[in-house]
Amino acid sequence: MKTVYTCFTTDVIHEGHLNIIRQARKYGQVIVGVLTDQAMIRFDRFPTIPFEERLALVKGLEGISRVVVQDTILYDEIVRQLRPDYVIHGDNWLTGPQKVIRDNVEALLGAYGGQLIDVPYTYSENITRIDRQMREKLAMPEYRRRRLRQLLGLCPVVKAIEAHSGLTGLIAEKTVVAQDGRLDQFDAMWVSSLCDSTAKGKPDIELVDMSSRLRTIDDIMEVTTKPIILDGDTGGLPEHFVYNVRTLERMGVSAVIIEDKKGLKKNSLFGNQVKQTQDSIEGFSEKIRAGKRAQLTNDFMIIARIESLILERGMEDALRRAAAFAKAGADGIMIHSRKKDPAEILEFCGRFRAADEHTPIVVVPTSFNAITEEELAAHGVNIVIYANQLTRSAFPAMQKTAEDILRCHRAKEVDERLMPIKEIITLIDEL
Ligand code: SPV
Ligand code: MG
């Protein structure tokens, strides 16, 4: 008997899946693959139920001869193992980012005479409602908050990009690229103090107060599901920090990163060109301990950011602080540098990892931007934050448009490089 393979990436079985199985049975014995969480998060949304439950859901379906685990988005391994006569899939993968997967399957099957079957995708009110509900579930605080910790367990390196508004949040949420036969997307969002302040036309000196920062977070949360890492600046007074931890945790923020500076904070990329004061190890450790005592769930993370390399206090100081802050309960260590050469970051990572295998390491490769995520991960880095690139790309584009309109006394000349009106009015999904 011929075999037909299909792969499911869902948390809810609906009529679309049942239709695929019905169609598949016309061709032979049906084998269903269930995509692992690791693979699913690169390609689609985050699962709302554990992998074991997704597997059980599929195993409970009628009309299937076997259920297998597919652990990569591309089908090379699974097709090599099963050599199915057919692979069947909804025709929604004929276009868009998923097309690379279809091309991959077509080539694999073509090599031995297997056949690809595209069945018309089932569009129904019920399916639209299920999809929307699943997205909305992921945006709920209890789902969103724990997602960063889940990602740390799933990904070799968690990639976060800056967001400071609903719109930049949508870019972080929805941008997917298909390249070299693979799909990729960001895992999380960084609510940068620099970009949040800059968007408000204010300097990055903790002038934009927490109420305003919370408002920004809420704007982002309204339209996204990905986890949020807040740039908490110095965390302020420990007596204030504990309240903010509670608020952030309740909102569904996954992590706050606080830096070991005190007094008037200036942006780290100024380094020693401006006066900045580092907190003592004891003082900052106490702030971490207070925050950890205040938190109510095991999901939320307080990450300690070390400014010793920024302030040229040396590697030994940075490592001493990292060990002390981890001991005080920090759930991660962010090490920052403003050198172009990543050498000091890599030395820190190597030496910290030798002493501490598990505490996640976070880096912000703004200055040392030539090093890849993969290289950083190989040195023990767990979270990479692209802290300001969206703001820095948008600002010059807007400035140039303003200048050109002034120069030309009309907007015709700039129109070619603008998003078409048709696209901007449909950019935002309606409920
Ligand atoms: C931010 O994005 O606000 C940061 C990172 O704190 S940096 O600007 O590099 O200090
Ligand atoms: Mg900042």
Side-chain angles (χ1 to χ4, degrees):
M1 189 154 179
K2 303 247 179 195
T3 54
V4 193
Y5 180 71
T6 189
C7 181
F8 286 175
T9 57
T10 191
D11 304 347
V12 178
I13 300 291
H14 53 58
E15 59 262 38
H17 304 107
L18 300 180
N19 181 48
I20 297 254
I21 294 172
R22 211 166 32 245
Q23 302 295 330
R25 291 185 66 176
K26 295 179 187 162
Y27 295 89
Q29 272 188 342
V30 183
I31 305 174
V32 180
V34 177
L35 200 63
T36 55
D37 291 350
Q38 281 92 338
M40 188 164 160
I41 59 173
R42 281 287 139 255
F43 137 84
D44 197 7
R45 69 166 146 254
F46 205 84
T48 57
I49 53 172
F51 174 73
E52 294 68 31
E53 277 179 45
R54 292 198 288 117
L55 197 63
L57 209 64
V58 175
K59 281 188 174 161
L61 290 172
E62 274 176 28
I64 293 178
S65 71
R66 236 171 104 192
V67 177
V68 295
V69 176
Q70 182 174 330
D71 55 18
T72 52
I73 305 173
L74 296 185
Y75 283 50
D76 299 65
E77 186 53 32
I78 203 83
V79 164
R80 195 187 57 72
Q81 273 174 27
L82 302 174
R83 280 182 78 88
D85 297 294
Y86 303 94
V87 168
I88 188 164
H89 195 282
D91 63 3
N92 55 324
W93 72 349
L94 282 164
T95 54
Q98 286 198 60
K99 190 171 176 300
V100 297
I101 309 176
R102 186 185 182 279
D103 292 345
N104 163 255
V105 177
E106 197 171 37
L108 292 166
L109 295 176
Y112 64 89
Q115 254 182 291
L116 186 55
I117 308 161
D118 303 297
V119 291
Y121 186 80
T122 312
Y123 291 96
S124 78
E125 246 180 57
N126 185 43
I127 293 176
T128 310
R129 190 179 50 79
I130 289 172
D131 275 344
R132 188 188 309 139
Q133 272 179 355
M134 245 176 322
R135 259 203 322 273
E136 281 165 4
K137 207 164 156 186
L138 286 171
M140 296 304 270
E142 62 274 26
Y143 283 92
R144 194 194 299 250
R145 195 197 300 118
R146 66 172 186 226
R147 189 159 151 188
L148 184 63
R149 281 204 194 267
Q150 290 176 317
L151 282 162
L152 283 165
L154 288 171
C155 311
V157 64
V158 173
K159 297 185 291 244
I161 189 154
E162 175 256 315
H164 60 267
S165 60
L167 189 62
T168 46
L170 281 178
I171 290 174
E173 177 82 12
K174 292 191 173 184
T175 307
V176 180
V177 293
Q179 185 183 260
D180 306 330
R182 317 198 156 264
L183 290 171
D184 208 357
Q185 58 177 300
F186 290 102
D187 303 297
M189 293 173 283
W190 164 246
V191 181
S192 151
S193 69
L194 172 68
C195 299
D196 201 1
S197 306
T198 302
K200 292 172 171 65
K202 299 266 173 74
D204 180 19
I205 53 172
E206 293 187 278
L207 174 64
V208 176
D209 67 13
M210 192 47 84
S211 306
S212 174
R213 305 288 313 278
L214 296 176
R215 178 72 239 176
T216 302
I217 294 171
D218 194 50
D219 285 345
I220 296 168
M221 283 185 160
E222 281 271 350
V223 294
T224 62
T225 65
K226 289 184 178 176
I228 291 180
I229 305 170
L230 174 69
D231 174 359
D233 289 316
T234 65
L237 294 171
E239 293 84 346
H240 295 176
F241 182 54
V242 291
Y243 282 90
N244 291 330
V245 164
R246 280 277 165 85
T247 308
L248 295 169
E249 198 182 12
R250 189 178 64 243
M251 287 175 84
V253 169
S254 304
V256 63
I257 302 189
I258 52 171
E259 59 196 271
D260 60 351
K261 291 205 293 241
K262 62 178 188 182
L264 180 63
K265 188 222 77 156
K266 300 261 176 81
N267 185 275
S268 299
L269 301 174
F270 283 123
N272 277 335
Q273 292 159 16
V274 294
K275 190 174 168 341
Q276 311 212 49
T277 317
Q278 206 171 12
D279 200 352
S280 66
I281 292 187
E282 298 69 38
F284 198 67
S285 297
E286 191 39 48
K287 198 184 287 187
I288 295 165
R289 274 193 291 269
K292 289 308 289 177
R293 279 195 300 270
Q295 117 181 29
L296 291 175
T297 67
N298 291 325
D299 304 333
F300 190 72
M301 300 174 76
I302 298 178
I303 298 174
R305 162 171 169 177
I306 294 164
E307 293 284 288
S308 305
L309 303 180
I310 291 283
L311 300 172
E312 293 169 24
R313 294 280 182 82
M315 187 60 66
E316 302 309 319
D317 185 68
L319 288 162
R320 205 165 32 246
R321 283 169 177 270
F325 300 157
K327 195 156 168 244
D331 301 292
I333 296 293
M334 173 180 153
I335 183 69
H336 207 15
S337 160
R338 59 191 202 105
K339 298 227 166 94
K340 237 184 151 36
D341 182 344
E344 62 177 10
I345 286 286
L346 299 185
E347 184 188 343
F348 175 92
C349 293
R351 291 179 62 186
F352 179 72
R353 263 289 161 270
D356 181 331
E357 260 180 75
H358 301 294
T359 305
I361 303 177
V362 184
V363 298
V364 177
T366 303
S367 305
F368 46 101
N369 55 18
I371 190 160
T372 63
E373 294 149 5
E374 205 177 5
E375 287 170 289
L376 287 165
H379 285 84
V381 169
N382 305 87
I383 302 180
V384 171
I385 297 176
Y386 297 97
N388 50 45
Q389 287 78 6
L390 292 187
T391 295
R392 286 165 59 210
S393 57
F395 188 86
M398 290 194 283
Q399 197 173 38
K400 178 150 183 15
T401 298
E403 286 168 2
D404 288 350
I405 292 173
L406 279 177
R407 250 180 230 120
C408 303
H409 304 285
R410 61 178 191 181
K412 180 174 183 291
E413 286 71 11
V414 303
D415 209 68
E416 211 174 61
R417 58 174 191 257
L418 305 184
M419 175 178 256
I421 288 291
K422 217 164 88 190
E423 272 177 43
I424 190 138
I425 58 179
T426 54
L427 187 65
I428 312 295
D429 294 334
E430 285 186 31
L431 273 185

